Amino acid sequence: MYSDDDLNAAVNAGIFSQEAVHDFRSLVEQRQHTALADEEHFRLLSGFNDIFVVIACTLLLGSVAWLGSLLAPAAGAAAVAAGAWGLAEYFVRRRRMALPAIALLGAFVVACPVSILALLGQDNRPDELMVLAGGGSAALAAWLHWRRFRVPLTVAAGTGALLLTIIGLLFSAIPALRQYTAPMLLAGGMATFALAMFWDKQDPARLQRQSDVAFWLHLLAAPLMVHSFFDMLGILQGTASLPALIAVLGLYGLFAVVSLAIDRRALMVSALAYVLYAFSHLLQTAGLAADGFAVAGLLIGGGLLTLSAFWQHCRRALLPRLPARWLASLPPLQ
């Protein structure tokens, strides 16, 4: 198994010419009847050995954490962080294995703040210090990991840690802000979405590492924005009115338009559970009390499959209708 990064490395090493790689990609697009950029490729598994290595790493790091915690809780977490970094030197930096890269990144980014917080303890420590120590150390760990290993998920992990740190510090400093959790998460999601678009703009053809980074950032931004929107509409509390339920469907239509424009599907996937609930509730009010959810799933599932089959056709119909100044920031038509 190989990725676009491997093909680009082969070009840089002089093994293949750029024209040969371009012709190969064109052939794959013709065989699959779709543009490669349309597929939103990202590496998760390069083979079953990835799963084998992750299981072995989990057993090893779990044992290290157990033995280290016999000395002190902080020692166990620090040992996991050191072990995850050491394993990444071989399995990520040298072997470039996809799933172990994600697992070892998670172990390192979680173990670092756990060790810091265990060292600080919780007795007579201000909340602001604990939030700053935990979130800040997680963000710093993600930054260090990115500098060394360049795992695409790392940027999203660091961004999420930074957002949690900022929101946690604001809550600690101004407790009254807790009632504005949804708008703050929405603001964080929109900032993450803007960052994802920044990375996407660097690789509109979806062939380089920047596109993988943008993929994970979109995957982080989407639930932050979607959850906040629907929380403010009262969907999560089950108190939404009929106009709010209709607004949910309208928002999903807007998310579909945005997804088509940016050629990403994360927004639509994140909002799917909410729109299923809203649509089934609307059908129940129309008299389909028992079968509302099934009918909603049938209609929405069929619609999504149709949209997937004609994704680029829909983009061709949508993009010419957008302002010209927006098109420079959007992926080109395939």
Side-chain angles (χ1 to χ4, degrees):
M1 296 291 291
Y2 53 85
S3 66
D4 283 316
D5 269 350
D6 299 321
L7 289 174
N8 294 329
V11 172
N12 294 333
I15 299 173
F16 301 141
S17 67
Q18 186 65 58
E19 292 76 13
V21 172
H22 175 74
D23 292 342
F24 172 75
R25 287 174 172 143
S26 298
L27 175 63
V28 173
E29 289 180 356
Q30 292 173 10
R31 286 172 59 86
Q32 296 182 353
H33 302 287
T34 185
L36 291 180
D38 181 39
E39 296 300 309
E40 289 193 75
H41 291 291
F42 71 99
R43 291 191 70 188
L44 184 61
L45 284 175
S46 54
F48 187 77
N49 193 35
D50 282 38
I51 299 175
F52 182 81
V53 169
V54 167
I55 293 173
C57 288
T58 302
L59 290 172
L60 177 63
L61 294 178
S63 300
V64 166
W66 181 278
L67 295 174
S69 64
L70 297 178
L71 299 175
V80 170
W85 186 280
L87 291 169
E89 287 288 346
Y90 178 74
F91 291 109
V92 180
R93 189 170 174 83
R94 292 188 59 184
R95 295 285 302 277
R96 305 183 67 83
M97 301 179 73
L99 189 60
I102 295 173
L104 292 172
L105 164 68
F108 181 74
V109 171
V110 171
C112 285
V114 169
S115 62
I116 296 296
L117 293 174
L119 281 175
L120 291 175
Q122 295 185 355
D123 296 335
N124 301 321
R125 301 288 187 183
D127 293 339
E128 294 85 348
L129 175 62
M130 301 302 288
V131 170
L132 182 61
S137 59
L140 178 61
W143 180 78
L144 292 173
H145 203 278
W146 169 256
R147 297 283 294 178
R148 181 64 175 171
F149 302 109
R150 302 283 174 173
V151 178
L153 175 59
T154 312
V155 178
T159 301
L162 188 60
L163 286 175
L164 288 177
T165 303
I166 294 172
I167 293 175
L169 288 175
L170 289 173
F171 284 170
S172 299
I174 311 174
L177 288 177
R178 294 179 185 273
Q179 60 182 319
Y180 300 105
T181 300
M184 294 178 70
L185 289 176
L186 176 60
M190 294 178 70
T192 306
F193 179 79
L195 182 60
M197 292 302 299
F198 168 78
W199 282 92
D200 251 342
K201 190 176 180 180
Q202 298 179 52
D203 182 24
R206 308 278 169 85
L207 300 176
Q208 307 292 333
R209 190 187 304 270
Q210 292 91 330
S211 176
D212 295 334
V213 172
F215 170 83
W216 291 108
L217 284 169
H218 279 296
L219 221 56
L220 171 64
L224 289 175
M225 293 191 296
V226 168
H227 180 89
S228 304
F229 269 127
F230 294 147
D231 187 20
M232 289 186 287
L233 287 173
I235 296 297
L236 302 182
Q237 294 80 19
T239 58
S241 61
L242 183 61
L245 294 172
I246 296 175
V248 169
L249 301 180
L251 276 174
Y252 197 67
L254 176 62
F255 291 156
V257 171
V258 173
S259 297
L260 283 168
I262 66 175
D263 206 6
R264 293 287 190 184
R265 298 163 177 80
L267 273 174
M268 297 182 68
V269 173
S270 296
L272 189 55
Y274 301 99
V275 77
L276 274 173
Y277 169 80
F279 197 36
S280 63
H281 190 80
L282 287 175
L283 290 175
Q284 288 173 14
T285 59
L288 294 174
D291 305 319
F293 186 82
V295 174
L298 178 65
L299 294 175
I300 294 174
L304 291 178
L305 286 174
T306 303
L307 180 60
S308 176
F310 298 98
W311 185 266
Q312 289 298 334
H313 296 281
C314 295
R315 292 198 78 228
R316 291 191 189 97
L318 172 65
L319 291 191
R321 292 171 169 77
L322 298 178
R325 64 179 183 276
W326 292 7
L327 299 181
S329 302
L330 299 176
L333 287 171
Q334 304 299 328

